[in-house]
Amino acid sequence: MYAGFGRLASALVEISRSNVPVRVYSRTKEKVVEASEADRRITWIDPQDFSAEKEVWLFLPADAVPEFLKENQPYFHPETVFFYCATKGISADIAPLLQDKQQVVPVKFITEAGQLKKDGKGMAALPQEYSSWKGRLAETFGKTMEIVIAEEKEVLALNKAATEKAVIAAEELRNEMKERGLQEKLINHASRQLIPGVINSYVEGRLGGFGQQVIKERRGNKYEN
């Protein structure tokens, strides 16, 4: 069961195995019903039926999770496993809200929802303490998700830094090119294709001439300073 149906949750459904049904609860029921019309694997689930689900994926914002758990605790199965996916949240903060034999398993995704859809695959991290769940996650997502071991705070730092640097790069490019009088269309295209393309080439070690020159200049300036 998915609790929440934002961009990440819908992307995961889209790239997941085609024969796996997904029951979804969201405050915006209309959004789930609309998605179910396009994908028959998706079905709406009422809180009264939560007890039938022993695995609940929490795709809600960190600040919305406590309220969701408190409001619906009477409906959850006493042995429910909650997979906690909010990047900004720490699983220890919601553990006191669980009852009976319920447990929380932090699963943090190192991805961006739109890019996840394009790539058709991503990466999810489990803390070392929960490494025994690696097989279950692999079974859930199949080959669409690489499961790695990393702590919650490490993933938060990585996602935050990567997001900040990506936004800064796009902002700086836009501001500089606007000062040069370039068309908005050209700037947008470079942001969508050039920046991620160059980054991919850098990571894979296949930069072209412009990229190699930038590295030489950057490393040279760093050495001089």
Side-chain angles (χ1 to χ4, degrees), residues 9-190:
S10 60
L12 287 170
V13 172
E14 187 171 315
I15 71 168
S16 66
R17 291 175 296 164
S18 59
N19 62 335
V20 178
V22 181
R23 304 185 79 183
V24 180
Y25 172 79
S26 171
R27 292 190 182 277
T28 52
K29 181 177 179 178
E30 298 79 9
K31 185 177 181 180
V32 178
V33 172
E34 182 181 350
S36 68
E37 293 173 353
D39 188 337
R40 294 183 178 180
R41 294 175 302 159
I42 301 171
T43 57
W44 167 262
I45 182 170
D46 287 308
Q48 291 81 0
D49 296 325
F50 285 177
S51 61
E53 301 293 327
K54 287 190 176 182
E55 293 187 355
V56 176
W57 286 82
L58 297 171
F59 287 113
L60 300 166
D63 56 2
V65 171
E67 181 183 356
F68 172 76
L69 293 177
K70 291 175 183 177
E71 284 184 357
N72 297 287
Q73 186 56 254
Y75 304 118
F76 294 127
H77 192 282
E79 296 180 0
T80 301
V81 176
F82 294 96
F83 294 100
Y84 188 45
C85 306
T87 303
K88 292 190 292 184
I90 300 300
S91 58
D93 295 338
I94 66 168
L97 300 175
L98 307 188
Q99 298 179 7
D100 301 310
K101 295 181 180 180
Q102 296 172 350
Q103 56 184 311
V104 58
V105 176
V107 180
K108 303 305 171 78
F109 293 89
I110 306 170
T111 189
E112 191 278 326
Q115 194 63 44
L116 178 61
K117 282 187 177 183
K118 289 181 180 179
D119 293 346
K121 58 183 179 179
M123 179 179 287
L126 279 168
Q128 182 63 47
E129 181 183 351
Y130 299 88
S131 59
S132 61
W133 287 91
K134 192 172 182 179
R136 180 68 187 105
L137 264 62
E139 180 183 334
T140 299
F141 296 110
K143 295 180 180 180
T144 64
M145 195 66 57
E146 181 180 356
I147 313 301
V148 299
I149 302 300
E151 301 307 308
E152 292 178 88
K153 290 183 178 180
E154 293 176 337
V155 177
L156 172 58
L158 177 60
N159 280 347
K160 183 178 180 182
T163 300
E164 287 179 349
K165 292 187 182 301
V167 171
I168 290 172
E171 285 277 291
E172 290 183 347
L173 176 67
R174 179 174 299 278
N175 293 337
E176 183 177 339
M177 293 302 101
K178 275 189 172 182
E179 288 182 2
R180 290 174 175 263
L182 266 70
Q183 301 174 40
E184 187 88 4
K185 183 177 182 179
L186 297 179
I187 300 172
N188 288 340
H189 179 78

